[in-house]
Amino acid sequence: MAAEEGQVISCHTIEAWNEQLQKGNDSNKLIVVDFTASWCGPCRFIAPFLAELAKKLPGVTFLKVDVDELNQVAQDWAVEAMPTFMLLKEGKIVDKVVGAKKEELQQTIAKHISAPAASTS
Amino acid sequence: MAVSGFEGFEKRLELHFFGDDPTFIQMGLRKLDFDSLQQVLKAVQCTVVSAVGNAYFDAYVLSESSLFVYPTKIIIKTCGTTQLLKSICPLIYYAHHHLGLTLCSCRYTRGSFIFPMSQPFPHTSFKDEVTYLEETLPANLCYRKASIMPSKSASHSWHVFTATDDSNCQTLYDNGHELYTMEICMTDLDPILARNFFRLPGDEKTGDSAGKEMTELTGICDINPEALICDFAFDPCGYSMNGIDGHRYSTIHVTPEDGFSYASFECTGSFEDDVVYHIMRKVIQIFRPGTMSVSITCSDYSHGMWTRIASAAEAMGLKCRSCTLDEFPAAGGVVFQTFTTRRKK
């Protein structure tokens, strides 16, 4: 597990995806999911930046889902544009960034690192 | 007028490619690695600011305007003193060597620069641009034409260059639907409305979030409520956005400074849906330009698009001052209209 820290973890199967999600939920860590596609230019544009963020923020879990590989996951999460970044805490979507927007992504992640987990409503 | 300011008028280049290998065609130019794309943009002298893609195409907001990449079509639009035509050589090279695609059509358009003396070669004059295009484009693009479409004002002309091969490159169709491209250029914006595109000093916002606010505040988000918008606000002023809606794009760029204020709107559409009246009204409402030009590119202008454009503009207090038609070999027709406010400002 420690080997994955500081990296963007690619989920190639539903099982791997569910496992990572569960792990993140159990640890109360902020999860950032990058929905990406091999043919999407903007995804290639932001990939190095995302890898850097993952290195800088070992306390955040970065997952990567290829929308062609895990088509059902992308559909369930209503992903239409690429890249789409979903931010999760305790199994709930707390924020979303659509598009390769470096500053916006960084700021949105920063906001949720410092914010306490959503209180019970 | 300022001695020299930022050149808002964009240069626009549309290139179409074809290939024999179906595996390449499917995603085609979208598979171009980012380093190659960056080399192309470096030749033009601009960079990527933000980007988004969907199942049909990729849309990039650039430091100077926009880039759209479809599997077999690329559209680059750049303002300022960028050297847009220098993108042609690297694009032909990368498309051919990395993707097995061959250029089959080229269209270059622009309005009249506000500061023509500031433009670097090959944009020093339309004559220089045409010479550069003629020399750069491969010989298979044999049907060529350059035209300056006039208006009643010497300072507002539409410059068009097309070159097409004889392979029936379907540049004006999308899945069998006839497409039009509408390019609107506006100058002398309402100074109060133009203020919407200035950021407050020290607002501590990102360009992305400040852009999003402008999109909502100005009503740009209502032009096509279906579109996903990728927007950016520059510091201290200026705004760019790309809208993506299925296979269609729209794009807006604003240079709001007084004395050389400029805004552009561009989109593609098909004749089946009648949205042009709504679009025209919204766009005019957002900027209230003193002068506006509208250029429509399509294969068949029997649709009477320009009469609908004129009636929408007239309903918004603008008067049609000129309407010019021109045809381009194997590249369709262009209708160029100009409008000014009825009242002298």
Side-chain angles (χ1 to χ4, degrees), chain A residues 47-82:
Chain A
F49 182 76
L50 195 73
E52 241 175 75
L53 278 184
K55 217 181 281 176
K56 269 196 282 188
L57 304 168
V60 179
T61 304
F62 286 85
L63 304 179
K64 193 164 102 176
V65 172
D66 185 305
V67 297
D68 293 321
E69 254 175 22
L70 300 187
N71 186 274
Q72 195 56 48
V73 176
Q75 272 183 31
D76 291 347
W77 292 56
V79 174
E80 282 174 1
M82 267 71 66

PDB file of all heavy atoms in Angstrom, chain A residues 47-82:
ATOM      1  N   ALA A  47      -2.116  15.096 -17.544  1.00  0.00           N
ATOM      2  CA  ALA A  47      -1.565  13.910 -16.863  1.00  0.00           C
ATOM      3  C   ALA A  47      -0.280  14.199 -16.069  1.00  0.00           C
ATOM      4  O   ALA A  47      -0.189  13.804 -14.898  1.00  0.00           O
ATOM      5  CB  ALA A  47      -1.353  12.785 -17.860  1.00  0.00           C
ATOM      6  N   PRO A  48       0.718  14.891 -16.653  1.00  0.00           N
ATOM      7  CA  PRO A  48       1.936  15.153 -15.866  1.00  0.00           C
ATOM      8  C   PRO A  48       1.662  15.999 -14.619  1.00  0.00           C
ATOM      9  O   PRO A  48       2.268  15.793 -13.576  1.00  0.00           O
ATOM     10  CB  PRO A  48       2.839  15.921 -16.847  1.00  0.00           C
ATOM     11  CG  PRO A  48       2.235  15.779 -18.188  1.00  0.00           C
ATOM     12  CD  PRO A  48       0.798  15.432 -18.016  1.00  0.00           C
ATOM     13  N   PHE A  49       0.737  16.932 -14.755  1.00  0.00           N
ATOM     14  CA  PHE A  49       0.383  17.803 -13.621  1.00  0.00           C
ATOM     15  C   PHE A  49      -0.261  16.989 -12.502  1.00  0.00           C
ATOM     16  O   PHE A  49       0.023  17.181 -11.319  1.00  0.00           O
ATOM     17  CB  PHE A  49      -0.561  18.907 -14.107  1.00  0.00           C
ATOM     18  CG  PHE A  49      -0.955  19.890 -13.041  1.00  0.00           C
ATOM     19  CD1 PHE A  49      -0.054  20.866 -12.621  1.00  0.00           C
ATOM     20  CD2 PHE A  49      -2.215  19.849 -12.462  1.00  0.00           C
ATOM     21  CE1 PHE A  49      -0.416  21.789 -11.641  1.00  0.00           C
ATOM     22  CE2 PHE A  49      -2.578  20.767 -11.485  1.00  0.00           C
ATOM     23  CZ  PHE A  49      -1.679  21.735 -11.073  1.00  0.00           C
ATOM     24  N   LEU A  50      -1.106  16.059 -12.893  1.00  0.00           N
ATOM     25  CA  LEU A  50      -1.786  15.206 -11.910  1.00  0.00           C
ATOM     26  C   LEU A  50      -0.768  14.322 -11.181  1.00  0.00           C
ATOM     27  O   LEU A  50      -0.832  14.159  -9.961  1.00  0.00           O
ATOM     28  CB  LEU A  50      -2.833  14.339 -12.610  1.00  0.00           C
ATOM     29  CG  LEU A  50      -3.841  13.670 -11.688  1.00  0.00           C
ATOM     30  CD1 LEU A  50      -4.822  14.694 -11.138  1.00  0.00           C
ATOM     31  CD2 LEU A  50      -4.583  12.555 -12.396  1.00  0.00           C
ATOM     32  N   ALA A  51       0.186  13.788 -11.930  1.00  0.00           N
ATOM     33  CA  ALA A  51       1.232  12.950 -11.334  1.00  0.00           C
ATOM     34  C   ALA A  51       2.030  13.751 -10.304  1.00  0.00           C
ATOM     35  O   ALA A  51       2.368  13.251  -9.232  1.00  0.00           O
ATOM     36  CB  ALA A  51       2.154  12.418 -12.430  1.00  0.00           C
ATOM     37  N   GLU A  52       2.285  15.025 -10.632  1.00  0.00           N
ATOM     38  CA  GLU A  52       3.006  15.908  -9.716  1.00  0.00           C
ATOM     39  C   GLU A  52       2.202  16.168  -8.448  1.00  0.00           C
ATOM     40  O   GLU A  52       2.739  16.133  -7.338  1.00  0.00           O
ATOM     41  CB  GLU A  52       3.235  17.251 -10.419  1.00  0.00           C
ATOM     42  CG  GLU A  52       4.674  17.640 -10.616  1.00  0.00           C
ATOM     43  CD  GLU A  52       4.735  18.916 -11.421  1.00  0.00           C
ATOM     44  OE1 GLU A  52       4.453  19.980 -10.852  1.00  0.00           O
ATOM     45  OE2 GLU A  52       5.014  18.827 -12.632  1.00  0.00           O
ATOM     46  N   LEU A  53       0.910  16.420  -8.628  1.00  0.00           N
ATOM     47  CA  LEU A  53       0.027  16.646  -7.477  1.00  0.00           C
ATOM     48  C   LEU A  53       0.032  15.427  -6.566  1.00  0.00           C
ATOM     49  O   LEU A  53       0.101  15.548  -5.343  1.00  0.00           O
ATOM     50  CB  LEU A  53      -1.414  16.919  -7.940  1.00  0.00           C
ATOM     51  CG  LEU A  53      -1.802  18.318  -8.383  1.00  0.00           C
ATOM     52  CD1 LEU A  53      -3.290  18.361  -8.695  1.00  0.00           C
ATOM     53  CD2 LEU A  53      -1.473  19.365  -7.319  1.00  0.00           C
ATOM     54  N   ALA A  54      -0.037  14.244  -7.161  1.00  0.00           N
ATOM     55  CA  ALA A  54      -0.064  13.009  -6.386  1.00  0.00           C
ATOM     56  C   ALA A  54       1.221  12.868  -5.566  1.00  0.00           C
ATOM     57  O   ALA A  54       1.195  12.440  -4.408  1.00  0.00           O
ATOM     58  CB  ALA A  54      -0.238  11.810  -7.314  1.00  0.00           C
ATOM     59  N   LYS A  55       2.332  13.275  -6.167  1.00  0.00           N
ATOM     60  CA  LYS A  55       3.621  13.205  -5.478  1.00  0.00           C
ATOM     61  C   LYS A  55       3.639  14.181  -4.294  1.00  0.00           C
ATOM     62  O   LYS A  55       4.113  13.867  -3.214  1.00  0.00           O
ATOM     63  CB  LYS A  55       4.735  13.560  -6.482  1.00  0.00           C
ATOM     64  CG  LYS A  55       6.010  12.738  -6.281  1.00  0.00           C
ATOM     65  CD  LYS A  55       7.095  13.134  -7.257  1.00  0.00           C
ATOM     66  CE  LYS A  55       6.915  12.556  -8.641  1.00  0.00           C
ATOM     67  NZ  LYS A  55       7.926  13.036  -9.606  1.00  0.00           N
ATOM     68  N   LYS A  56       3.079  15.368  -4.551  1.00  0.00           N
ATOM     69  CA  LYS A  56       3.098  16.420  -3.527  1.00  0.00           C
ATOM     70  C   LYS A  56       2.131  16.144  -2.383  1.00  0.00           C
ATOM     71  O   LYS A  56       2.277  16.665  -1.294  1.00  0.00           O
ATOM     72  CB  LYS A  56       2.737  17.769  -4.173  1.00  0.00           C
ATOM     73  CG  LYS A  56       3.938  18.537  -4.681  1.00  0.00           C
ATOM     74  CD  LYS A  56       3.594  19.997  -4.935  1.00  0.00           C
ATOM     75  CE  LYS A  56       2.842  20.160  -6.242  1.00  0.00           C
ATOM     76  NZ  LYS A  56       2.618  21.546  -6.657  1.00  0.00           N
ATOM     77  N   LEU A  57       1.064  15.395  -2.675  1.00  0.00           N
ATOM     78  CA  LEU A  57      -0.005  15.202  -1.694  1.00  0.00           C
ATOM     79  C   LEU A  57      -0.194  13.719  -1.363  1.00  0.00           C
ATOM     80  O   LEU A  57      -1.168  13.095  -1.781  1.00  0.00           O
ATOM     81  CB  LEU A  57      -1.332  15.776  -2.248  1.00  0.00           C
ATOM     82  CG  LEU A  57      -1.325  17.244  -2.682  1.00  0.00           C
ATOM     83  CD1 LEU A  57      -2.584  17.573  -3.460  1.00  0.00           C
ATOM     84  CD2 LEU A  57      -1.199  18.171  -1.477  1.00  0.00           C
ATOM     85  N   PRO A  58       0.732  13.153  -0.604  1.00  0.00           N
ATOM     86  CA  PRO A  58       0.631  11.720  -0.300  1.00  0.00           C
ATOM     87  C   PRO A  58      -0.606  11.387   0.550  1.00  0.00           C
ATOM     88  O   PRO A  58      -1.018  10.221   0.589  1.00  0.00           O
ATOM     89  CB  PRO A  58       1.934  11.420   0.448  1.00  0.00           C
ATOM     90  CG  PRO A  58       2.425  12.735   0.939  1.00  0.00           C
ATOM     91  CD  PRO A  58       1.932  13.773  -0.008  1.00  0.00           C
ATOM     92  N   GLY A  59      -1.184  12.383   1.198  1.00  0.00           N
ATOM     93  CA  GLY A  59      -2.369  12.135   2.021  1.00  0.00           C
ATOM     94  C   GLY A  59      -3.648  12.002   1.209  1.00  0.00           C
ATOM     95  O   GLY A  59      -4.719  11.728   1.759  1.00  0.00           O
ATOM     96  N   VAL A  60      -3.568  12.233  -0.085  1.00  0.00           N
ATOM     97  CA  VAL A  60      -4.746  12.137  -0.941  1.00  0.00           C
ATOM     98  C   VAL A  60      -4.577  10.923  -1.855  1.00  0.00           C
ATOM     99  O   VAL A  60      -3.492  10.666  -2.355  1.00  0.00           O
ATOM    100  CB  VAL A  60      -4.904  13.417  -1.802  1.00  0.00           C
ATOM    101  CG1 VAL A  60      -6.118  13.324  -2.704  1.00  0.00           C
ATOM    102  CG2 VAL A  60      -4.977  14.652  -0.908  1.00  0.00           C
ATOM    103  N   THR A  61      -5.646  10.165  -2.042  1.00  0.00           N
ATOM    104  CA  THR A  61      -5.601   9.021  -2.946  1.00  0.00           C
ATOM    105  C   THR A  61      -6.012   9.476  -4.354  1.00  0.00           C
ATOM    106  O   THR A  61      -7.094  10.043  -4.522  1.00  0.00           O
ATOM    107  CB  THR A  61      -6.565   7.914  -2.479  1.00  0.00           C
ATOM    108  OG1 THR A  61      -6.221   7.578  -1.136  1.00  0.00           O
ATOM    109  CG2 THR A  61      -6.475   6.687  -3.367  1.00  0.00           C
ATOM    110  N   PHE A  62      -5.142   9.254  -5.318  1.00  0.00           N
ATOM    111  CA  PHE A  62      -5.453   9.604  -6.705  1.00  0.00           C
ATOM    112  C   PHE A  62      -5.730   8.338  -7.503  1.00  0.00           C
ATOM    113  O   PHE A  62      -4.864   7.473  -7.604  1.00  0.00           O
ATOM    114  CB  PHE A  62      -4.278  10.368  -7.343  1.00  0.00           C
ATOM    115  CG  PHE A  62      -4.151  11.786  -6.857  1.00  0.00           C
ATOM    116  CD1 PHE A  62      -3.469  12.075  -5.686  1.00  0.00           C
ATOM    117  CD2 PHE A  62      -4.734  12.833  -7.565  1.00  0.00           C
ATOM    118  CE1 PHE A  62      -3.356  13.389  -5.229  1.00  0.00           C
ATOM    119  CE2 PHE A  62      -4.625  14.142  -7.130  1.00  0.00           C
ATOM    120  CZ  PHE A  62      -3.938  14.426  -5.944  1.00  0.00           C
ATOM    121  N   LEU A  63      -6.930   8.236  -8.044  1.00  0.00           N
ATOM    122  CA  LEU A  63      -7.290   7.082  -8.863  1.00  0.00           C
ATOM    123  C   LEU A  63      -7.513   7.527 -10.303  1.00  0.00           C
ATOM    124  O   LEU A  63      -7.932   8.657 -10.554  1.00  0.00           O
ATOM    125  CB  LEU A  63      -8.575   6.430  -8.338  1.00  0.00           C
ATOM    126  CG  LEU A  63      -8.583   5.989  -6.867  1.00  0.00           C
ATOM    127  CD1 LEU A  63      -9.942   5.384  -6.516  1.00  0.00           C
ATOM    128  CD2 LEU A  63      -7.461   5.010  -6.586  1.00  0.00           C
ATOM    129  N   LYS A  64      -7.251   6.601 -11.224  1.00  0.00           N
ATOM    130  CA  LYS A  64      -7.465   6.913 -12.643  1.00  0.00           C
ATOM    131  C   LYS A  64      -8.355   5.833 -13.249  1.00  0.00           C
ATOM    132  O   LYS A  64      -8.098   4.640 -13.076  1.00  0.00           O
ATOM    133  CB  LYS A  64      -6.113   6.961 -13.348  1.00  0.00           C
ATOM    134  CG  LYS A  64      -6.191   7.564 -14.726  1.00  0.00           C
ATOM    135  CD  LYS A  64      -4.804   7.954 -15.211  1.00  0.00           C
ATOM    136  CE  LYS A  64      -4.305   6.915 -16.200  1.00  0.00           C
ATOM    137  NZ  LYS A  64      -2.998   7.302 -16.777  1.00  0.00           N
ATOM    138  N   VAL A  65      -9.411   6.282 -13.928  1.00  0.00           N
ATOM    139  CA  VAL A  65     -10.327   5.346 -14.576  1.00  0.00           C
ATOM    140  C   VAL A  65     -10.396   5.672 -16.058  1.00  0.00           C
ATOM    141  O   VAL A  65     -10.738   6.800 -16.445  1.00  0.00           O
ATOM    142  CB  VAL A  65     -11.745   5.443 -13.956  1.00  0.00           C
ATOM    143  CG1 VAL A  65     -12.747   4.628 -14.751  1.00  0.00           C
ATOM    144  CG2 VAL A  65     -11.719   4.993 -12.503  1.00  0.00           C
ATOM    145  N   ASP A  66     -10.059   4.707 -16.908  1.00  0.00           N
ATOM    146  CA  ASP A  66     -10.205   4.882 -18.351  1.00  0.00           C
ATOM    147  C   ASP A  66     -11.665   4.604 -18.708  1.00  0.00           C
ATOM    148  O   ASP A  66     -12.181   3.514 -18.429  1.00  0.00           O
ATOM    149  CB  ASP A  66      -9.275   3.905 -19.076  1.00  0.00           C
ATOM    150  CG  ASP A  66      -9.292   4.131 -20.581  1.00  0.00           C
ATOM    151  OD1 ASP A  66     -10.389   4.102 -21.166  1.00  0.00           O
ATOM    152  OD2 ASP A  66      -8.210   4.335 -21.166  1.00  0.00           O
ATOM    153  N   VAL A  67     -12.334   5.592 -19.309  1.00  0.00           N
ATOM    154  CA  VAL A  67     -13.776   5.466 -19.542  1.00  0.00           C
ATOM    155  C   VAL A  67     -14.122   4.359 -20.540  1.00  0.00           C
ATOM    156  O   VAL A  67     -15.265   3.895 -20.582  1.00  0.00           O
ATOM    157  CB  VAL A  67     -14.414   6.795 -20.007  1.00  0.00           C
ATOM    158  CG1 VAL A  67     -14.282   7.865 -18.933  1.00  0.00           C
ATOM    159  CG2 VAL A  67     -13.806   7.273 -21.316  1.00  0.00           C
ATOM    160  N   ASP A  68     -13.155   3.936 -21.351  1.00  0.00           N
ATOM    161  CA  ASP A  68     -13.405   2.817 -22.266  1.00  0.00           C
ATOM    162  C   ASP A  68     -13.237   1.482 -21.542  1.00  0.00           C
ATOM    163  O   ASP A  68     -13.980   0.542 -21.778  1.00  0.00           O
ATOM    164  CB  ASP A  68     -12.462   2.883 -23.468  1.00  0.00           C
ATOM    165  CG  ASP A  68     -12.760   4.089 -24.341  1.00  0.00           C
ATOM    166  OD1 ASP A  68     -13.959   4.396 -24.509  1.00  0.00           O
ATOM    167  OD2 ASP A  68     -11.823   4.732 -24.823  1.00  0.00           O
ATOM    168  N   GLU A  69     -12.245   1.440 -20.649  1.00  0.00           N
ATOM    169  CA  GLU A  69     -11.987   0.218 -19.892  1.00  0.00           C
ATOM    170  C   GLU A  69     -13.114  -0.068 -18.904  1.00  0.00           C
ATOM    171  O   GLU A  69     -13.607  -1.185 -18.812  1.00  0.00           O
ATOM    172  CB  GLU A  69     -10.666   0.366 -19.121  1.00  0.00           C
ATOM    173  CG  GLU A  69      -9.524  -0.426 -19.718  1.00  0.00           C
ATOM    174  CD  GLU A  69      -8.221  -0.144 -18.982  1.00  0.00           C
ATOM    175  OE1 GLU A  69      -8.240   0.310 -17.814  1.00  0.00           O
ATOM    176  OE2 GLU A  69      -7.193  -0.376 -19.591  1.00  0.00           O
ATOM    177  N   LEU A  70     -13.486   0.953 -18.140  1.00  0.00           N
ATOM    178  CA  LEU A  70     -14.550   0.788 -17.143  1.00  0.00           C
ATOM    179  C   LEU A  70     -15.751   1.630 -17.558  1.00  0.00           C
ATOM    180  O   LEU A  70     -16.155   2.578 -16.880  1.00  0.00           O
ATOM    181  CB  LEU A  70     -14.047   1.188 -15.743  1.00  0.00           C
ATOM    182  CG  LEU A  70     -12.855   0.392 -15.209  1.00  0.00           C
ATOM    183  CD1 LEU A  70     -12.572   0.777 -13.757  1.00  0.00           C
ATOM    184  CD2 LEU A  70     -13.098  -1.109 -15.281  1.00  0.00           C
ATOM    185  N   ASN A  71     -16.281   1.247 -18.693  1.00  0.00           N
ATOM    186  CA  ASN A  71     -17.383   1.981 -19.302  1.00  0.00           C
ATOM    187  C   ASN A  71     -18.577   2.135 -18.357  1.00  0.00           C
ATOM    188  O   ASN A  71     -19.199   3.198 -18.272  1.00  0.00           O
ATOM    189  CB  ASN A  71     -17.779   1.215 -20.570  1.00  0.00           C
ATOM    190  CG  ASN A  71     -18.815   1.961 -21.356  1.00  0.00           C
ATOM    191  OD1 ASN A  71     -19.993   1.815 -21.086  1.00  0.00           O
ATOM    192  ND2 ASN A  71     -18.372   2.781 -22.288  1.00  0.00           N
ATOM    193  N   GLN A  72     -18.884   1.051 -17.621  1.00  0.00           N
ATOM    194  CA  GLN A  72     -20.050   1.076 -16.748  1.00  0.00           C
ATOM    195  C   GLN A  72     -19.868   2.087 -15.607  1.00  0.00           C
ATOM    196  O   GLN A  72     -20.796   2.811 -15.259  1.00  0.00           O
ATOM    197  CB  GLN A  72     -20.317  -0.327 -16.179  1.00  0.00           C
ATOM    198  CG  GLN A  72     -21.690  -0.485 -15.555  1.00  0.00           C
ATOM    199  CD  GLN A  72     -22.810  -0.127 -16.533  1.00  0.00           C
ATOM    200  OE1 GLN A  72     -22.836  -0.573 -17.677  1.00  0.00           O
ATOM    201  NE2 GLN A  72     -23.731   0.727 -16.091  1.00  0.00           N
ATOM    202  N   VAL A  73     -18.658   2.144 -15.067  1.00  0.00           N
ATOM    203  CA  VAL A  73     -18.370   3.096 -13.986  1.00  0.00           C
ATOM    204  C   VAL A  73     -18.570   4.530 -14.503  1.00  0.00           C
ATOM    205  O   VAL A  73     -19.232   5.355 -13.869  1.00  0.00           O
ATOM    206  CB  VAL A  73     -16.931   2.912 -13.450  1.00  0.00           C
ATOM    207  CG1 VAL A  73     -16.610   3.962 -12.397  1.00  0.00           C
ATOM    208  CG2 VAL A  73     -16.744   1.512 -12.880  1.00  0.00           C
ATOM    209  N   ALA A  74     -18.025   4.801 -15.689  1.00  0.00           N
ATOM    210  CA  ALA A  74     -18.152   6.139 -16.275  1.00  0.00           C
ATOM    211  C   ALA A  74     -19.618   6.499 -16.489  1.00  0.00           C
ATOM    212  O   ALA A  74     -20.038   7.633 -16.243  1.00  0.00           O
ATOM    213  CB  ALA A  74     -17.385   6.206 -17.590  1.00  0.00           C
ATOM    214  N   GLN A  75     -20.392   5.514 -16.931  1.00  0.00           N
ATOM    215  CA  GLN A  75     -21.827   5.762 -17.151  1.00  0.00           C
ATOM    216  C   GLN A  75     -22.550   6.012 -15.834  1.00  0.00           C
ATOM    217  O   GLN A  75     -23.355   6.928 -15.709  1.00  0.00           O
ATOM    218  CB  GLN A  75     -22.462   4.577 -17.862  1.00  0.00           C
ATOM    219  CG  GLN A  75     -22.374   4.698 -19.365  1.00  0.00           C
ATOM    220  CD  GLN A  75     -23.077   3.551 -20.061  1.00  0.00           C
ATOM    221  OE1 GLN A  75     -24.052   3.020 -19.550  1.00  0.00           O
ATOM    222  NE2 GLN A  75     -22.554   3.168 -21.197  1.00  0.00           N
ATOM    223  N   ASP A  76     -22.245   5.164 -14.843  1.00  0.00           N
ATOM    224  CA  ASP A  76     -22.889   5.313 -13.536  1.00  0.00           C
ATOM    225  C   ASP A  76     -22.584   6.683 -12.931  1.00  0.00           C
ATOM    226  O   ASP A  76     -23.398   7.249 -12.209  1.00  0.00           O
ATOM    227  CB  ASP A  76     -22.389   4.220 -12.572  1.00  0.00           C
ATOM    228  CG  ASP A  76     -22.890   2.836 -12.970  1.00  0.00           C
ATOM    229  OD1 ASP A  76     -23.803   2.776 -13.817  1.00  0.00           O
ATOM    230  OD2 ASP A  76     -22.359   1.838 -12.466  1.00  0.00           O
ATOM    231  N   TRP A  77     -21.413   7.176 -13.207  1.00  0.00           N
ATOM    232  CA  TRP A  77     -21.001   8.459 -12.631  1.00  0.00           C
ATOM    233  C   TRP A  77     -21.293   9.626 -13.571  1.00  0.00           C
ATOM    234  O   TRP A  77     -20.868  10.743 -13.336  1.00  0.00           O
ATOM    235  CB  TRP A  77     -19.511   8.413 -12.274  1.00  0.00           C
ATOM    236  CG  TRP A  77     -19.234   7.478 -11.127  1.00  0.00           C
ATOM    237  CD1 TRP A  77     -19.557   6.152 -11.056  1.00  0.00           C
ATOM    238  CD2 TRP A  77     -18.633   7.796  -9.883  1.00  0.00           C
ATOM    239  NE1 TRP A  77     -19.174   5.635  -9.861  1.00  0.00           N
ATOM    240  CE2 TRP A  77     -18.598   6.606  -9.115  1.00  0.00           C
ATOM    241  CE3 TRP A  77     -18.093   8.964  -9.340  1.00  0.00           C
ATOM    242  CZ2 TRP A  77     -18.061   6.565  -7.833  1.00  0.00           C
ATOM    243  CZ3 TRP A  77     -17.545   8.908  -8.074  1.00  0.00           C
ATOM    244  CH2 TRP A  77     -17.536   7.722  -7.324  1.00  0.00           C
ATOM    245  N   ALA A  78     -22.013   9.323 -14.650  1.00  0.00           N
ATOM    246  CA  ALA A  78     -22.472  10.343 -15.609  1.00  0.00           C
ATOM    247  C   ALA A  78     -21.325  11.204 -16.146  1.00  0.00           C
ATOM    248  O   ALA A  78     -21.420  12.426 -16.208  1.00  0.00           O
ATOM    249  CB  ALA A  78     -23.552  11.218 -14.978  1.00  0.00           C
ATOM    250  N   VAL A  79     -20.243  10.541 -16.521  1.00  0.00           N
ATOM    251  CA  VAL A  79     -19.099  11.266 -17.079  1.00  0.00           C
ATOM    252  C   VAL A  79     -19.318  11.454 -18.576  1.00  0.00           C
ATOM    253  O   VAL A  79     -19.463  10.485 -19.310  1.00  0.00           O
ATOM    254  CB  VAL A  79     -17.788  10.494 -16.828  1.00  0.00           C
ATOM    255  CG1 VAL A  79     -16.615  11.166 -17.529  1.00  0.00           C
ATOM    256  CG2 VAL A  79     -17.521  10.384 -15.337  1.00  0.00           C
ATOM    257  N   GLU A  80     -19.353  12.710 -19.025  1.00  0.00           N
ATOM    258  CA  GLU A  80     -19.580  12.986 -20.440  1.00  0.00           C
ATOM    259  C   GLU A  80     -18.414  13.703 -21.091  1.00  0.00           C
ATOM    260  O   GLU A  80     -18.227  13.625 -22.289  1.00  0.00           O
ATOM    261  CB  GLU A  80     -20.857  13.800 -20.612  1.00  0.00           C
ATOM    262  CG  GLU A  80     -22.081  12.914 -20.489  1.00  0.00           C
ATOM    263  CD  GLU A  80     -23.366  13.695 -20.505  1.00  0.00           C
ATOM    264  OE1 GLU A  80     -23.325  14.921 -20.631  1.00  0.00           O
ATOM    265  OE2 GLU A  80     -24.419  13.047 -20.382  1.00  0.00           O
ATOM    266  N   ALA A  81     -17.671  14.433 -20.277  1.00  0.00           N
ATOM    267  CA  ALA A  81     -16.534  15.174 -20.819  1.00  0.00           C
ATOM    268  C   ALA A  81     -15.271  14.691 -20.134  1.00  0.00           C
ATOM    269  O   ALA A  81     -15.308  14.234 -18.994  1.00  0.00           O
ATOM    270  CB  ALA A  81     -16.733  16.665 -20.581  1.00  0.00           C
ATOM    271  N   MET A  82     -14.173  14.779 -20.852  1.00  0.00           N
ATOM    272  CA  MET A  82     -12.906  14.315 -20.325  1.00  0.00           C
ATOM    273  C   MET A  82     -11.868  15.431 -20.334  1.00  0.00           C
ATOM    274  O   MET A  82     -11.830  16.182 -21.289  1.00  0.00           O
ATOM    275  CB  MET A  82     -12.381  13.139 -21.153  1.00  0.00           C
ATOM    276  CG  MET A  82     -12.764  11.778 -20.649  1.00  0.00           C
ATOM    277  SD  MET A  82     -14.497  11.436 -20.882  1.00  0.00           S
ATOM    278  CE  MET A  82     -14.612  11.387 -22.637  1.00  0.00           C
TER     279      MET A  82
END
